[in-house]
Amino acid sequence: MEFVTTAAPIRPDVRIAERAGFCYGVRLAIDKAKHARDEGKPVTTLGQLVHNPGIKADLAERGIATADLADQMEGGTVVVRAHGVPRTEMDKLRARASGTGELEVIDATCTWVLQSQKAARELDEAGYTVCIIGHEDHPEVKGVRSYAGEKHVVVDDMDRSTWERVPRTKKLGVLSQSTILPHKLEEFAAFCLRRCHDLRVVNTVCPVTLTRQDDSVRLAAEVDAMVVVGGKNSSNTKELAVKCRDVCPDTVHVADADELAAEWGAWLRDKPRIGITGGTSTPEVDLEEVRDRIYALAAA
Ligand code: SF4
């Protein structure tokens, strides 16, 4: 008689980073929009509150609409996203709210982003050329730069050639998008120091981003593979993946559990210890779904 032995699938050790999921700024904006809708108000968000497809679908199902510009609002209640909006858009909203009263404005701009906007305005008023390191097309940067005066420049943390936009001048003021890695801000500040006499640096890196990165990197160093979950256009999720890959080369960035299963199912099988983390716009439920999918793939 011939015996055939088959090894039982090994259940991997899967851990989710200690502090992951929505940051409080994004959570608060979502909660404010939902709360207003639950009160029966016609709610529109100015800009997407979050990149996450599942949450966007949930908000749409609740009847919460999204507009890109203040002029597109016909009335009702508008919720300004956590990343903030450009000054002109905010001014238009406030004018309509105080003038005809046709619009109620719920400003959910995160307190950290408000501080960056304030710092940009104060630096400009004090005669500094404001230099912002971040991603030019990011909503937060679009908002902050609108307070930074005409001379300001925006440079990209990933593309040093853009740093040449910084003029050689007397007074430079530096600040960053909230989700930029701190060492990038430090490098950029050192670069600016060589171009001016008077340098002011405002540390506008969000502490929530820092604690998340610390937890994620610590976990990445302890596992065989790391899965970073979040929208492909979410800059802080992309940053997180770069950071994790530095200590865990087997790091992948996926939008959700379906992408993980479709693209990386086979790759996961020989990884006994797997870590999961997500960007500030990735809800906990998405991380749990990825964890459950990993267990399911391992058992298949
Ligand atoms: S990442 Fe930080 S600055 Fe950005 S919305 Fe969240 S808490 Fe606010």
Side-chain angles (χ1 to χ4, degrees), residues 22-27 82-83 108-113 140 178-179 204-209 212 236 280:
F22 283 150
C23 64
Y24 65 77
V26 170
R27 176 166 300 289
H83 296 317
T109 309
C110 175
T111 49
W112 290 101
V113 176
E140 180 194 318
S178 61
T179 48
T204 50
V205 176
C206 169
V208 177
T209 314
R212 252 144 226 279
N236 77 82
T280 50

Side-chain angles (χ1 to χ4, degrees), residues 76-129:
T77 299
V78 57
V79 178
V80 175
R81 65 181 160 211
H83 296 317
V85 294
R87 190 177 197 163
T88 48
E89 292 296 295
M90 200 51 146
D91 289 347
K92 279 183 197 169
L93 291 179
R94 290 203 177 110
R96 286 179 66 186
S98 64
T100 59
E102 58 180 319
L103 208 62
E104 179 197 18
V105 180
I106 298 176
D107 185 3
T109 309
C110 175
T111 49
W112 290 101
V113 176
L114 287 173
Q115 284 185 35
S116 295
Q117 294 175 350
K118 181 167 174 271
R121 195 187 65 237
E122 288 176 352
L123 286 168
D124 175 51
E125 285 170 0
Y128 290 82
T129 299

Side-chain angles (χ1 to χ4, degrees), residues 191-264:
F191 176 88
C192 290
L193 185 59
R194 296 193 289 273
R195 296 204 161 205
C196 67
H197 295 293
D198 178 359
L199 178 70
R200 276 192 57 194
V201 181
V202 185
N203 184 358
T204 50
V205 176
C206 169
V208 177
T209 314
L210 293 181
T211 51
R212 252 144 226 279
Q213 282 174 359
D214 288 349
D215 287 355
S216 300
V217 169
R218 199 173 309 118
L219 178 60
E222 293 170 1
V223 295
D224 305 294
M226 195 72 190
V227 181
V228 181
V229 187
K232 292 296 173 67
N233 51 355
S234 158
S235 55
N236 77 82
T237 310
K238 286 190 274 186
E239 304 280 9
L240 210 50
V242 169
K243 260 312 222 192
C244 289
R245 200 167 288 118
D246 281 347
V247 292
C248 177
D250 276 330
T251 293
V252 292
H253 173 185
V254 295
D256 51 28
D258 288 344
E259 185 187 344
L260 181 75
E263 308 268 335
W264 302 99

Side-chain angles (χ1 to χ4, degrees), residues 43-51 56 64-74 77-81 84-90 92-93 96 103 137 139 142-143 233:
V43 177
T44 304
T45 68
L46 186 55
Q48 298 281 1
L49 292 187
V50 67
H51 297 300
K56 283 199 288 194
I64 297 173
T66 300
D68 293 325
L69 297 167
D71 289 339
Q72 294 169 349
M73 307 279 173
E74 291 186 356
T77 299
V78 57
V79 178
V80 175
R81 65 181 160 211
V85 294
R87 190 177 197 163
T88 48
E89 292 296 295
M90 200 51 146
K92 279 183 197 169
L93 291 179
R96 286 179 66 186
L103 208 62
D137 56 353
K142 286 181 180 170
N233 51 355

Side-chain angles (χ1 to χ4, degrees), residues 97-197:
S98 64
T100 59
E102 58 180 319
L103 208 62
E104 179 197 18
V105 180
I106 298 176
D107 185 3
T109 309
C110 175
T111 49
W112 290 101
V113 176
L114 287 173
Q115 284 185 35
S116 295
Q117 294 175 350
K118 181 167 174 271
R121 195 187 65 237
E122 288 176 352
L123 286 168
D124 175 51
E125 285 170 0
Y128 290 82
T129 299
V130 179
C131 306
I132 303 165
I133 181 166
H135 304 294
E136 221 165 357
D137 56 353
H138 192 280
E140 180 194 318
V141 173
K142 286 181 180 170
V144 171
R145 71 185 301 180
S146 68
Y147 291 85
E150 285 180 3
K151 292 180 295 178
H152 80 271
V153 293
V154 177
V155 305
D156 195 307
D157 61 315
M158 309 296 255
D159 179 2
R160 271 190 86 110
S161 70
T162 62
W163 294 16
E164 294 302 325
R165 293 173 188 163
V166 175
R168 293 178 194 280
T169 187
K170 194 172 174 193
K171 294 166 80 172
L172 289 178
V174 168
L175 43 86
S176 77
Q177 185 180 321
S178 61
T179 48
I180 290 300
L181 298 176
H183 76 90
K184 285 285 179 188
L185 174 59
E186 288 161 18
E187 276 174 33
F188 182 57
F191 176 88
C192 290
L193 185 59
R194 296 193 289 273
R195 296 204 161 205
C196 67
H197 295 293

